[in-house]
Amino acid sequence: MGFFETILFPFKWVVSWIMWIFHEGFVFLGMDAASGWTWTLSIIGLVIVIRAALIPVFVKQIKAQRGMQSLQPDLRKLQQKYKGKTDQLSRQAMTQEQMALYKKHGTNPFAACLPMLVQMPFFFALFQVLNGISSSNAAGEGQGALSHSAIQQFDEATIFGAPLSSSLLHGFGDEGHFSVVVLSIIMILAMTASQFITQKQIMSKNMSEEALASPFMRQQKMMLYVLPIVFGVGGINFPIGVLIYWTTTNLWTMGQQFFVIRRMPTPGSPAAKALAERRARKGLPMVPLLGEKKGETPVEVPAAPKGQRTQPQRKNRKRK
């Protein structure tokens, strides 16, 4: 067992155990143990468990991202202060002041990637489990918490005629290859489209004007197009089961971001202004948004629209 496999071993056991629990639960409800739909729902159940467990991490990610946005003006001043200074003492001083800024705003550049980093070991573990289904079945072995009989059921399970353990790249000559090609392409397109839409919504609706003008935004725009291409190209090597997992988790992320943009938008963003307008129409005061500093003025509620009836003022009558 190599170093990478040793690190992933506990994750493989957890992933396979969660899938097995869901599988047994669906069998208990009357579903066929060898059905591809039973195993598909088990993979979807795995996504729900992992993403629900990551909700506290996701909240920390939002706070970290908004902290990074709020420190951009100070960061630009710091960069101007040390512009053109390349000596070691200046670089060290700039690094120390940057760390002080991160501490002041309660954030760091790595916190924004935390949910992805936490989820990646589970994804790689699932990839190894599903990618090794056929070889484990041929060798009469199990995978993590999955027994050999469960592995055999999964290896023979199909959805729309496509085996869950087959991939677009390595499925040539296998039974149901046409179904594998069609389903893989559909799921790869859904996976990349959902990721693109999620990032596009964040950039167009949930970023303040300062964040849009920052150098960080250029990197975000680049990632907007690079990441879907990377996952799209990599998707041809993913088994159908992994594509189901990744498409489902992308749809979860898209729905989660829609909720955040509508209910907990970034201060100063178009989404925050839209929230203020909705609350104003309902006669509700604007509440502090997630990531706003204490004492910071919330988004102002717009004035009442024209044509709204105003309460008549009582005129003071002169006494006789």
Side-chain angles (χ1 to χ4, degrees), residues 103-302:
K103 186 176 181 180
K104 176 184 175 182
H105 289 268
T107 186
N108 64 76
F110 305 103
C113 305
L114 197 55
M116 177 68 75
L117 294 176
V118 172
Q119 191 179 185
M120 288 312 291
F122 293 98
F123 171 72
F124 285 125
L126 179 67
F127 179 81
Q128 283 202 352
V129 169
L130 300 187
N131 206 39
I133 288 289
S134 297
S135 58
S136 295
N137 185 27
E141 299 174 348
Q143 280 269 20
L146 297 176
S147 63
H148 175 248
S149 60
I151 291 293
Q152 189 175 18
Q153 288 176 353
F154 193 100
D155 195 29
E156 297 172 357
T158 62
I159 179 172
F160 297 117
L164 293 176
S165 57
S166 295
S167 65
L168 178 60
L169 188 62
H170 299 105
F172 291 99
D174 293 347
E175 184 180 353
H177 174 64
F178 179 75
S179 300
V180 172
V181 171
V182 174
L183 188 58
S184 295
I185 291 175
I186 291 173
M187 299 200 73
I188 288 171
L189 290 175
M191 180 177 66
T192 54
S194 58
Q195 189 169 38
F196 179 84
I197 291 170
T198 300
Q199 293 300 319
K200 187 69 175 177
Q201 286 290 318
I202 294 172
M203 293 168 60
S204 62
K205 295 184 179 180
N206 205 34
M207 281 191 168
S208 62
E209 293 181 1
E210 289 182 348
L212 290 172
S214 68
F216 174 73
M217 186 59 185
R218 297 192 207 105
Q219 299 175 4
Q220 287 290 100
K221 287 181 178 178
M222 187 182 299
M223 298 302 289
L224 174 66
Y225 297 98
V226 170
L227 279 180
I229 293 174
V230 169
F231 280 100
V233 173
I236 65 175
N237 193 43
F238 293 166
I240 296 294
V242 174
L243 289 177
I244 292 171
Y245 173 89
W246 205 248
T247 303
T248 306
T249 197
N250 276 6
L251 291 173
W252 174 292
T253 302
M254 187 169 67
Q256 193 170 245
Q257 286 294 350
F258 280 149
F259 175 83
V260 168
I261 290 171
R262 184 170 179 82
R263 299 295 182 88
M264 298 183 292
T266 302
S269 65
K273 295 174 183 176
L275 175 62
E277 290 173 0
R278 289 198 303 272
R279 293 186 67 85
R281 285 196 296 267
K282 295 177 181 179
L284 300 173
M286 188 60 189
V287 295
L289 300 174
L290 183 64
E292 279 187 323
K293 299 177 186 177
K294 291 182 178 179
E296 192 173 16
T297 305
V299 177
E300 293 183 1
V301 178

